[in-house]
Amino acid sequence: MPKHKTNRGAAKRFRKTSSGYKHKQANKNHILTKKSTKRKRQLRGLTGVAAADVAALRQLIPTKAR
């Protein structure tokens, strides 16, 4: 059987954790002057991926066979 290819776009945007996947939050890249300091501060860091999207991510980012 051939190996599964990783979707490189997804691999750059999502990281695997022990309990699922994490990703950077949207709306923190440009036009930041009109956004409040509180809003920008709360967009920092990484958040978990919704449970409904995990199945799709598993196909995009296959893990090594054990």
Side-chain angles (χ1 to χ4, degrees):
M1 290 294 294
K3 294 181 179 180
H4 288 251
K5 279 195 167 183
T6 298
N7 181 295
R8 299 313 296 160
K12 293 169 190 175
R13 288 170 172 84
F14 300 96
R15 295 284 176 264
K16 180 83 173 82
T17 64
S18 60
S19 60
Y21 293 89
K22 59 185 179 178
H23 69 97
K24 186 179 170 185
Q25 296 187 72
N27 303 313
K28 184 78 190 328
N29 284 320
H30 63 106
I31 315 176
L32 297 173
T33 53
K34 65 173 72 171
K35 293 172 185 159
S36 69
T37 307
K38 177 181 178 180
R39 183 173 166 190
K40 290 184 281 190
R41 183 176 64 247
Q42 290 178 339
L43 288 171
R44 277 186 214 148
L46 303 169
T47 55
V49 172
D53 298 325
V54 171
L57 272 177
R58 281 201 189 113
Q59 288 186 333
L60 292 171
I61 308 173
T63 56
K64 294 179 183 176
R66 295 189 178 138

